[in-house]
Amino acid sequence: MEGAELIIQEINREAEQKIQYILNEAQREAEKIKEEAKKKAEAKAEWILRKAKTQAEMEKQRAIASAKLEVRKKRLAVQEEMIKAVISALKDRLASLPDEEYFMTLVSLTSEALEELGVNKAVLRSNERTLKLIVERLPEFKKGVSETIGRDVDITVGEPINTIGGILVESVDGSVRVDNTFEARMERFEAELRARIAKILFG
């Protein structure tokens, strides 16, 4: 019996060792799984945090860009209003030029138009104030234009038109014309005019 007991004890000891080994391995595996799970959770948390920070930064940049755009729009709107105000004031100034200054301007505008048309006879049209000024000083007007373009001209005053000033010059048969009214000239040179005004106002 003594030998049998020893064998049983040995079996029990080996069994205990195996059980302890298995328990230890199970414990280590459990720790490993726990550690890996913890790392994954931390990695996921870090990823979520990074994503949140990135999204927050993107939102911030979008908000900044939107605010800058809004400021730019408002600034441009204010600048546009100021440019329009200057153009309106300029039209008022042109419409109320003193007679002597206006007369010389009309001579220049008419001469320029006749040069462009290449004719010696023309009909002039403008508002009533302008036509009256030309009629009152017609010989002087013709002389000024003739001296400017270097040839004699035959000028007739036509019907009035709706304009703030300047002159519309037509061939006698009405087939060709040069519109040198102030509105037409401002429209033709609008880009340049606006650029000059903007430079004066805003540098």
Side-chain angles (χ1 to χ4, degrees), residues 7 13 26 28 37 45 47 50 54 74 77 92 104-105 110 113 122 139-140 142 153 167 172 188:
I7 290 170
R13 189 178 60 78
R28 278 196 293 273
W47 177 81
R50 283 201 306 271
T54 301
K74 287 181 179 178
D92 291 342
M104 297 309 299
T105 299
T110 302
E140 181 186 353
K142 287 182 179 180
V153 294
I167 203 80
V172 175
R188 286 200 295 274

Side-chain angles (χ1 to χ4, degrees), residues 31-122:
E31 290 294 332
K32 183 179 176 184
I33 291 169
K34 182 180 176 182
E35 189 63 29
E36 287 178 354
K38 183 181 177 184
K39 286 180 180 178
K40 285 181 181 178
E42 287 175 352
K44 188 173 182 180
E46 182 66 25
W47 177 81
I48 291 171
L49 185 60
R50 283 201 306 271
K51 186 177 179 182
K53 285 182 178 178
T54 301
Q55 288 177 335
E57 183 63 26
M58 288 172 64
E59 286 299 324
K60 185 180 82 173
Q61 292 303 323
R62 272 198 291 267
I64 291 171
S66 178
K68 285 182 177 178
L69 181 62
E70 190 64 27
V71 169
R72 185 171 182 273
K73 283 181 180 178
K74 287 181 179 178
R75 185 172 66 246
L76 289 174
V78 170
Q79 289 178 352
E80 179 63 20
E81 287 303 312
M82 291 177 72
I83 289 172
K84 285 180 178 179
V86 172
I87 290 175
S88 178
L90 177 58
K91 286 180 179 179
D92 291 342
R93 164 82 173 85
L94 290 171
S96 58
L97 284 173
D99 283 354
E100 195 57 41
E101 182 182 351
Y102 188 35
F103 183 81
M104 297 309 299
T105 299
L106 291 171
V107 169
S108 176
L109 292 176
T110 302
S111 301
E112 180 187 302
L114 287 172
E115 287 277 63
E116 189 173 335
L117 289 172
V119 297
N120 296 327
K121 293 183 178 182

